[in-house]
Amino acid sequence: MSRTRAEAGPNSGAGHGTSRLTTRLVGEHALLVELDSGAAVEALHAALLQRRETGDLPPVREIVPAARTVLLDGLDDPRALAAALPSWDVPEVPARAPQTVELPVRYDGPDLAEVAALWGVAVDEVARIHAATEFRVAFCGFAPGFGYLTGLPERYAVPRRATPRTSVPAGSVALAGPYTGVYPSASPGGWQLIGSTDAVLWDHARVPAALLAPGTRVRFVPAGAEAVRG
């Protein structure tokens, strides 16, 4: 398996098979790690979780991945971890994750025709392409339970709407840039809406409250097909 070598410092280069890494102290007890790709973020996040589970990571309160960063909060000595990171070998994320969430979806969104035009396909093809894709939660944010899902090829990236909607219904399945997302609650939003689901993305009475977490595999199952959570 090829591996990603962590290299510290804002001016450090990234050679073949490596990912450039920059660390920045945030206050007295947090460390922000900046990387050059979403794949590198996923790999480092997985490595951090594994090291925390095996006791090979200093005590940390939170590990929060984003599009190009990982924040570690609640460290006793963030400088020590920043100094150690360059020596880590970070394996690529495995081809498959142990958990897959399947979400039933009705491809009935108001922006379906616009997305079809942007993709250069028939409207029905949008549903077929989207449902045939295996997604992965890269990171969470924006609202409780909202996951940024990657998996669509780059050619299917779409721009956000020029004028955001003042209210997007809960359960809306949407596209923006390279990401797919599902709105866990009604909120303003500028993503392109291609469908809807009845799945509950966030339930404070559920443990865990969020249905999706970083690293989770996701498939969208068209209405009429059985959806199961694995």
Side-chain angles (χ1 to χ4, degrees):
M1 176 188 299
S2 62
R3 305 173 79 85
T4 300
R5 170 72 65 179
E7 300 186 6
N11 298 315
S12 56
H16 177 71
T18 66
S19 175
R20 184 169 50 204
L21 174 153
T22 301
T23 57
R24 302 184 187 278
L25 298 176
V26 181
E28 297 182 356
H29 298 289
L31 182 69
L32 185 68
V33 184
E34 300 177 349
L35 298 118
D36 54 13
S37 71
V41 168
E42 288 190 58
L44 179 61
H45 181 244
L48 288 165
L49 294 181
Q50 182 178 25
R51 285 174 179 253
R52 181 167 66 176
E53 185 175 338
T54 59
D56 296 323
L57 184 71
V60 58
R61 185 171 62 249
E62 290 187 276
I63 303 174
V64 185
R68 293 291 184 273
T69 62
V70 180
L71 176 69
L72 297 100
D73 193 18
L75 292 165
D76 289 335
D77 189 354
R79 292 181 183 274
L81 182 57
L85 278 172
S87 66
W88 286 19
D89 254 354
V90 179
E92 292 180 348
V93 176
R96 296 200 62 82
Q99 182 187 23
T100 299
V101 172
E102 295 189 354
L103 300 178
V105 59
R106 297 175 295 275
Y107 286 98
D108 57 1
D111 300 324
L112 200 60
E114 184 172 343
V115 169
L118 289 168
W119 286 6
V121 301
V123 171
D124 290 348
E125 276 291 284
V126 174
R128 187 195 65 77
I129 293 168
H130 193 260
T133 302
E134 184 176 68
F135 293 91
R136 184 184 184 91
V137 181
F139 58 96
C140 296
F142 168 63
F146 189 95
Y148 289 77
L149 280 58
T150 58
L152 283 172
E154 185 178 350
R155 65 181 179 275
Y156 294 129
V158 298
R160 287 172 170 79
R161 291 178 55 82
T163 303
R165 293 180 169 90
T166 57
S167 182
V168 174
S172 294
V173 178
L175 307 178
Y179 301 112
T180 289
V182 181
Y183 283 77
S185 57
S187 67
W191 289 34
Q192 307 280 0
L193 307 184
I194 64 169
S196 57
T197 179
D198 294 326
V200 178
L201 277 293
W202 177 265
D203 181 354
H204 64 84
R206 182 174 58 199
V207 180
L211 181 61
L212 305 180
T216 302
R217 296 276 177 174
V218 179
R219 281 193 177 277
F220 291 91
V221 181
E226 182 180 1
V228 296
R229 191 187 315 166

